[in-house]
């Protein structure tokens, strides 16, 4: 049996462990310092898309992953909290409207299923929307969102049914290295022999890699996605909404509704920096959302702690075995919710079958030297 230890049970570790444990001859052990999903995956806005991803090569990687979600959902055949329906956005000032039209035109030429829509089409899709000025609007039909806790839970259960073992509250502190390879992974109270170690440890990947003298630089990228109390269903068709700022003092807003009726609301761009986890900020965000969705009048805002995006220094994923430690595999990325099905399946090919996936060529760890 090839013993694979996965350090971290977020969405990337869980997706990978699910795929690996379906292979004969591979024994998967998850070591998770907290509980599964406690890292970035639990704080994510979890919009699965390739909308704003550039350059084209990276857009295509995300697009492939988006399409793979549909197959993975079919294969898992369980409640993974997947919300189909697409993403709708609009702009209320001429300059931003022109940027939106240009972006839609560009990603249409890349084959992205999106289009400009009219105000009437917007209201046909989402009748509860209260619309003021609409200079331009678009609809990206394939986009989805995921309830990451449900997905992680299903993947870990399936992996365990196939023989994997999950150790929560088991933080990795050290690697035993012999002749340049890792032979065991240590936690504070146990040691796990291994043939391959995968770092799927989110923002902690940099520190853990440095224990094996591997350099994976990151930048800090704090963000906030607030929750609300349960509300009646307000989004009937689309799964994600991006709304413009209501005035110069506010930022854009993004919003999704979960199966239980609660909302998740963030502001600014997908990489926007935000450290304000106060009740005041959460209330302000919800007030802004109410301007567009008066039907959520009774909802209350629940502030959430800051989440840190795993963010490689150049913004692109890090995927591959480390040159200096040939049995150490690194998986570090922003947009990990989008990329999870692709990373899970393709990294399994690299680990189980020893191939090199061409798509990963720009994203190898050695680019950092
Ligand atoms: C505010 C915010 C919004 C986002 N929005 C989106 C979005 O809309 N779409 C999208 O695709 N992506 C989004 N992301 C990014 C996405 O959430 C992440 O890329 C993804 O969750 C990364 O998953 P992961 O499994 O690699 O890391 P994590 O979820 O962070 O999991 C790493 C796990 O490793 C564990 N760990 C750490 N150190 C150790 C150790 N020493 N020993 C054992 N275990 C350890 C942690 O406890 C954690 O559970 C967002 C992120 C944030 C924070």
């Amino acid at each position: 049996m090839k013993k694979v230890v996965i350090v971290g049970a977020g969405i990337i570790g869980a997706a990978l462990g699910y795929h690996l444990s379906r292979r004969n001859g591979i024994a998967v052990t998850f070591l998770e310092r907290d509980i599964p999903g406690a890292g970035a995956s639990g704080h994510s806005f979890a919009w699965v898309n390739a909308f704003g991803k550039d350059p084209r090569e990276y857009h295509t990687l995300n697009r492939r992953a988006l399409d793979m979600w549909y197959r993975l959902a079919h294969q898992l055949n369980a409640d993974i909290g997947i919300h189909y329906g697409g993403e709708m956005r609009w702009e209320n000032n001429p300059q931003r409207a022109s940027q939106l039209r240009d972006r839609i035109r560009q990603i249409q030429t890349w084959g992205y299923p999106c289009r400009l829509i009219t105000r009437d089409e917007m209201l046909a899709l989402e009748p509860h929307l209260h619309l003021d000025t609409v200079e331009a609007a678009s609809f990206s039909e394939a986009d989805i969102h995921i309830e990451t806790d449900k997905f992680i839970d299903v993947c870990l259960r399936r992996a365990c049914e196939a023989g994997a073992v999950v150790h929560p509250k088991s933080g990795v502190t050290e690697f035993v290295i012999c002749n340049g390879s890792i032979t065991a992974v240590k936690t504070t109270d146990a040691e796990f022999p291994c043939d391959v170690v995968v770092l799927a440890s989110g923002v902690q990947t940099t520190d853990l890699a440095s224990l094996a003298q591997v350099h994976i630089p990151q930048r800090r990228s704090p963000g906030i996605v607030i929750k609300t109390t349960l509300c009646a269903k307000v989004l009937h068709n689309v799964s994600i909404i991006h709304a413009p700022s209501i005035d110069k003092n506010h930022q854009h807003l993004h919003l999704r509704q979960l199966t239980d009726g609660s909302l998740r609301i963030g502001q600014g761009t997908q990489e926007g920096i935000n450290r304000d986890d106060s009740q005041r900020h959460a209330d302000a965000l919800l007030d802004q959302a109410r301007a567009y969705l008066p039907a959520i009048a009774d909802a209350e805002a629940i502030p959430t702690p800051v989440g840190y995006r795993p963010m490689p220094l150049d913004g692109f994923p890090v995927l591959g075995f480390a040159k200096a430690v040939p049995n150490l595999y690194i998986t570090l990325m922003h947009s990990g919710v989008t990329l999870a099905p692709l990373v899970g399946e393709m990294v399994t090919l690299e680990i189980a079958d020893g191939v090199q996936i061409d798509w990963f060529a720009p994203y190898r760890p050695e680019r950092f030297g």
Side-chain angles (χ1 to χ4, degrees):
M1 280 295 234
K2 191 187 240 181
K3 292 190 275 301
V4 180
V5 172
I6 299 178
V7 185
I11 196 159
I12 295 296
L16 174 59
Y18 161 71
H19 280 289
L20 277 172
S21 60
R22 297 171 70 221
R23 292 301 197 92
N24 287 332
I26 294 191
V28 176
T29 302
F30 295 93
L31 300 177
E32 166 54 55
R33 74 170 181 177
D34 198 320
I35 55 164
S41 302
H43 292 82
S44 186
F45 186 62
W47 170 33
V48 175
N49 76 100
F51 186 92
K53 309 292 168 66
D54 285 305
R56 183 176 180 167
E57 187 174 59
Y58 181 56
H59 170 89
T60 303
L61 190 80
N62 283 271
R63 170 67 196 281
R64 284 185 168 126
L66 164 59
D67 292 344
M68 286 168 86
W69 266 109
Y70 286 70
R71 178 160 59 87
L72 181 58
H74 176 72
Q75 189 179 74
L76 288 169
N77 191 23
D79 179 11
I80 58 165
I82 188 164
H83 294 254
Y84 302 101
E87 182 255 15
M88 182 163 76
R89 65 174 58 210
W90 71 100
E91 296 293 352
N92 57 10
N93 85 56
Q95 194 195 347
R96 295 202 63 124
S98 159
Q99 288 165 355
L100 176 59
R101 285 189 208 98
D102 289 349
R103 182 64 185 169
I104 292 296
R105 177 61 67 195
Q106 178 174 42
I107 56 178
Q108 279 181 332
T109 66
W110 292 350
Y112 203 60
C114 62
R115 61 183 188 272
L116 294 170
I117 57 173
T118 62
R119 186 192 182 91
D120 285 348
E121 286 173 293
M122 291 175 73
L123 290 172
L125 280 166
E126 289 305 341
H128 280 110
L129 268 183
H130 176 85
L131 292 172
D132 204 341
T133 311
V134 177
E135 291 281 347
S138 69
F139 179 47
S140 301
E141 194 153 4
D143 294 10
I144 55 181
H145 79 82
I146 302 292
E147 296 185 33
T148 52
D149 53 342
K150 291 185 179 173
F151 173 74
I152 291 170
D153 185 55
V154 169
C155 285
L156 295 183
R157 260 193 291 124
R158 293 288 163 81
C160 290
E161 283 158 19
V165 182
V166 183
H167 295 271
K169 302 286 175 197
S170 298
V172 169
T173 52
E174 208 182 317
F175 301 124
V176 180
I177 301 181
C178 285
N179 300 324
S181 290
I182 300 176
T183 54
V185 177
K186 285 187 176 180
T187 63
T188 38
D189 46 18
E191 186 169 317
F192 298 84
C194 61
D195 299 302
V196 174
V197 179
V198 181
L199 293 186
S201 329
V203 290
Q204 277 78 36
T205 298
T206 298
D207 290 347
L208 286 167
S210 74
L211 295 176
Q213 314 298 325
V214 174
H215 180 52
I216 307 292
Q218 276 188 77
R219 58 186 145 98
R220 298 281 264 186
S221 183
I224 303 257
V225 177
I226 67 145
K227 301 179 182 177
T228 70
T229 50
L230 311 189
C231 10
K233 196 167 167 60
V234 283
L235 293 186
H236 291 276
N237 290 298
V238 307
S239 61
I240 301 274
I241 276 186
H242 277 82
S245 48
I246 47 175
D247 58 41
K248 282 199 177 107
N249 302 320
H250 292 85
Q251 298 186 33
H252 276 56
L253 188 85
H254 38 274
L255 179 147
R256 63 186 176 112
Q257 187 164 34
L258 277 57
T259 314
D260 67 6
S262 64
L263 302 169
R264 298 291 179 272
I265 310 172
Q267 69 174 23
T269 65
Q270 291 302 302
E271 277 93 44
I273 302 294
N274 188 359
R275 292 188 180 81
D276 188 351
D277 57 0
S278 66
Q279 182 73 52
R280 225 182 80 217
H281 172 72
D283 290 341
L285 222 49
L286 181 57
D287 274 349
Q288 222 185 313
R290 279 196 195 104
Y292 294 118
L293 285 167
I296 60 172
D298 294 340
E300 285 169 32
I302 305 170
T304 52
V306 180
Y308 288 89
R309 303 178 186 92
M311 192 60 84
L313 202 55
D314 58 9
F316 296 111
V318 185
L319 291 162
F321 283 108
K323 270 259 156 68
V325 186
N327 68 340
L328 178 65
Y329 198 103
I330 312 288
T331 63
L332 174 72
M333 71 214 72
H334 176 49
S335 291
V337 178
T338 299
L339 294 169
L342 181 144
V343 169
E345 196 164 18
M346 298 300 115
V347 173
T348 295
L349 295 181
E350 294 209 323
I351 292 175
D353 301 320
V355 295
Q356 297 254 315
I357 306 294
D358 283 355
W359 306 342
F360 290 179
Y363 309 119
R364 296 304 188 187
E366 57 269 17
R367 70 182 187 273
F368 296 116

